[in-house]
Amino acid sequence: MIDIKRIRAEPDLVKAGCAKKRIECDIDRILELDATFLGLSPKIDELRSQQKLGSKEMSKATPERRVEILEEQRGLKEQLRALEAEMTACQEQLQPLLLTVPNLPAEAVPEGVDDQDNVELKKWGTPRSFDFAPRDHVEIGEAQGWLDAETAGRIAGSRNYISMGELARLEHAVLRFALDMMIDRGFSPAIVPVLVRAEPLWGTGYFPGGGDQIYHTDDRDDLYLVGTAEVPLTSIHAEKIHDIKNLPIKLVAHSTCYRREAGTYGKDTRGLYRVHQFQKVEQVVIDISDEKRSLEHHHMILQNAEDLLQAFDLPYRVVNVCGGDLGAPQVQKFDVETWMPSRDGYGETHSASRFHEYQARRLKMRYRDKEGKVHFCHTLNNTVAASSRILIALLENHQLEDGRVAIPEPLRKHMGGLEVIGKSL
RNA sequence: GGAGAGGUGGCAGAGCGGCUUAAUGCGCCAGAUUGCUAAUCUGGUGACCCCUUCGGGGGUCCGGGGGUUCAAAUCCCCCCUUCUCCGCCA
């Protein structure tokens, strides 16, 4: 959510932001409703003021005077009822519209329609050239008995995986490495609910708009399975006015993540790339409302992801996500794409977002500055490691000719010292 | 799942239809006093919206939403949530 005052003051800027993001939003209708609201507000306040005065006099008045006041009060009540009804009607139209206004993209966000137009910022590592015919992760996994798509499908439907044996151990190792790394860097760990109410999803900007991708329980419970720990993790600090001394807040959590992947039929159907359930370690930063600080945090959380990939010796690139590929809530987003030999290209493994006040405003997450003034916080988040996609990269990039897989040195301590997993095929 | 008790400002906690402009205490801020710190005394101390001649004025907010009333923190209904006991349970 952006500030209605900003829409009033700079409607053209807001419209330009919508256009850059390729998001349709009726700003003029919002301004029209807002004007109605601004017209009604002083009238209602004035009537209420009179009503309060009358009510106060009533308590001390003589019986005769009471009759008169009662008459006046009845009149006021009727006028108020009518105006309040108008106000409610106005708000009922305005509020849902305001929730659809996207956050304004940063200047540095490239123009563009979709991910084809994302701009590469940097590349790290060199994709390996194999002197044998490399297998993809599904071939390796099935041959080693680590993956069984058919069984996963029988148990849970398509787009599911079961990692078994040494692969499961590797998955745990990756998550553990990611968590430990972030704790070392000053992030506070949490274990959070993955089944949540609607409010945190509205608050973090997944509603409205993202509902199609989210599993929803039946109405006995009316809860949602989160697609990322970002949702509960960021919401921990909602509806509070924080002491500036406690900022920034840096959080890290592992969670299972659920995605319906509606509308992706036929796309990435093979293997671990696009699945309904995976494991992820996520980092969240909450700090003061300061563009420069936010940008510094953005680079910091991006660096955390890069450091993890470098530790795993996985080639990657960083892209600056273009306007059309940006979600409504983000000011800017850097995607990290890791080299996946089977795709003969880079596949998204991390997504570092900066939101400014957008989430905080919805979550009513504020802080008091040194002068005692209250402001909305800035929030950011990024993946540290998303298990299924990083497993693709690890298996495919570090495979040996005989079908075994080398374990990067930093992961070995979580693998009981194993340097290589699998059997010779 | 059953029974009961609660949810009031940063925190604790009173109020249970109009003397509430939400008492009081703690905390916090400022001033006074005092070698320093501490203590003591005095004063101040919220969020949000609208208007403003920038001095200020008006309104909303007592878990959330409805309702009753001239008037609701206070009465009624629904929901959320916390605690205690019982049941079930990793």
Side-chain angles (χ1 to χ4, degrees):
Chain A
M1 188 139 56
I2 68 173
D3 194 348
I4 179 76
K5 286 175 188 159
R6 182 127 194 226
I7 305 177
R8 275 176 208 153
E10 304 171 290
D12 292 336
L13 195 78
V14 176
K15 286 180 191 173
C18 295
K20 191 170 183 181
K21 285 192 169 182
R22 271 64 177 178
I23 290 173
E24 299 255 338
C25 192
D26 195 345
I27 300 298
D28 289 326
R29 178 64 181 148
I30 287 173
L31 289 170
E32 199 180 301
L33 287 164
D34 183 52
T36 307
F37 166 81
L38 290 180
L40 286 168
S41 185
K43 289 185 199 161
I44 288 176
D45 286 355
E46 172 59 25
L47 285 172
R48 280 186 180 146
S49 179
Q50 285 180 36
Q51 193 181 44
K52 278 179 110 170
L53 289 172
S55 178
K56 207 157 275 185
E57 197 187 345
M58 174 80 96
S59 62
K60 296 168 193 149
T62 59
E64 306 83 70
R65 181 72 186 118
R66 274 177 183 245
V67 178
E68 290 173 36
I69 296 169
L70 207 67
E71 195 53 42
E72 289 166 23
Q73 295 285 75
R74 289 222 168 90
L76 287 174
K77 191 183 181 181
E78 228 156 277
Q79 289 180 58
L80 259 174
R81 231 191 255 276
L83 288 178
E84 280 171 345
E86 272 184 64
M87 179 68 107
T88 305
C90 176
Q91 294 287 20
E92 277 172 359
Q93 291 179 71
L94 184 56
Q95 283 310 321
L97 280 175
L98 278 176
L99 286 168
T100 66
V101 179
N103 203 356
L104 303 185
E107 290 255 332
V109 170
E111 280 293 340
V113 181
D114 56 30
D115 57 359
Q116 299 294 309
D117 300 319
N118 293 346
V119 173
E120 185 177 290
L121 294 178
K122 73 179 279 192
K123 256 184 186 154
W124 184 91
T126 312
R128 182 175 161 195
S129 57
F130 293 91
D131 49 13
F132 56 89
R135 299 171 168 91
D136 74 16
H137 69 281
V138 179
E139 291 173 76
I140 299 169
E142 302 216 318
Q144 294 288 1
W146 295 334
L147 288 174
D148 181 348
E150 223 177 291
T151 301
R154 176 167 56 74
I155 293 173
S158 66
R159 290 199 192 286
N160 272 289
Y161 74 100
I162 302 171
S163 61
M164 293 177 281
E166 288 165 315
L167 183 63
R169 194 173 191 185
L170 179 60
E171 188 165 356
H172 274 118
V174 166
L175 296 167
R176 184 57 195 261
F177 177 91
L179 190 67
D180 286 352
M181 183 184 95
M182 296 308 292
I183 293 170
D184 283 347
R185 294 179 179 206
F187 281 67
S188 175
I191 292 179
V192 291
V194 292
L195 194 56
V196 303
R197 294 169 181 276
E199 285 79 9
L201 289 160
W202 283 101
T204 46
Y206 285 88
F207 286 164
D212 276 1
Q213 298 306 328
I214 299 175
Y215 287 103
H216 183 195
T217 69
D218 67 33
D219 57 14
R220 284 176 302 174
D221 301 299
D222 192 23
L223 295 168
Y224 300 85
L225 281 166
V226 297
T228 162
E230 164 199 349
V231 174
L233 207 52
T234 311
S235 300
I236 290 173
H237 295 91
E239 286 174 44
K240 285 184 192 140
I241 298 179
H242 296 274
D243 192 324
I244 193 164
K245 282 183 285 197
N246 298 328
L247 299 176
I249 296 169
K250 298 182 192 173
L251 301 167
V252 61
H254 158 253
S255 82
T256 305
C257 301
Y258 299 91
R259 308 213 172 163
R260 291 189 63 236
E261 298 296 353
T264 61
Y265 301 110
K267 197 173 160 191
D268 310 314
T269 49
R270 184 173 159 81
L272 300 181
Y273 194 78
R274 197 172 291 282
V275 287
H276 289 308
Q277 179 184 327
F278 58 96
Q279 307 297 319
K280 181 157 66 74
V281 174
E282 179 79 6
Q283 46 181 330
V284 166
V285 177
I286 298 166
D287 201 2
I288 60 169
S289 175
D290 183 282
E291 219 173 311
K292 196 166 151 270
R293 279 266 285 267
S294 246
L295 195 57
E296 284 167 15
H297 287 315
H298 204 172
H299 288 299
M300 180 267 290
I301 61 175
L302 176 62
Q303 192 60 51
N304 291 337
E306 290 189 49
D307 290 347
L308 177 128
L309 291 174
Q310 292 183 18
F312 293 174
D313 196 25
L314 295 172
Y316 64 86
R317 62 173 198 153
V318 178
V319 300
N320 186 5
V321 173
C322 77
D325 197 28
L326 213 53
Q330 288 90 359
V331 171
Q332 191 175 17
K333 184 160 89 171
F334 301 121
D335 279 356
V336 179
E337 301 176 345
T338 305
W339 183 257
M340 298 180 185
S342 64
R343 298 174 77 83
D344 192 29
Y346 293 93
E348 183 187 329
T349 49
H350 300 71
S351 193
S353 298
R354 168 163 115 254
F355 301 93
H356 283 176
E357 298 180 356
Y358 186 89
Q359 291 185 323
R361 197 175 280 281
R362 291 170 165 239
L363 289 165
K364 299 184 182 68
M365 184 193 293
R366 293 171 293 177
Y367 70 96
R368 203 180 296 279
D369 68 17
K370 288 197 185 79
E371 283 75 48
K373 278 193 70 181
V374 173
H375 309 272
F376 286 103
C377 297
H378 276 193
T379 62
L380 304 96
N381 63 60
N382 188 14
T383 319
V384 185
S387 67
S388 52
R389 286 197 182 172
I390 212 142
L391 289 179
I392 298 174
L394 285 167
L395 292 182
E396 294 184 355
N397 284 294
H398 296 321
Q399 63 180 300
L400 306 178
E401 187 168 8
D402 65 0
R404 293 183 302 155
V405 176
I407 302 300
E409 195 278 324
L411 283 173
R412 291 178 195 160
K413 65 171 181 260
H414 297 303
M415 294 287 292
L418 288 177
E419 293 177 19
V420 176
I421 56 171
K423 53 185 186 284
S424 268
L425 298 174

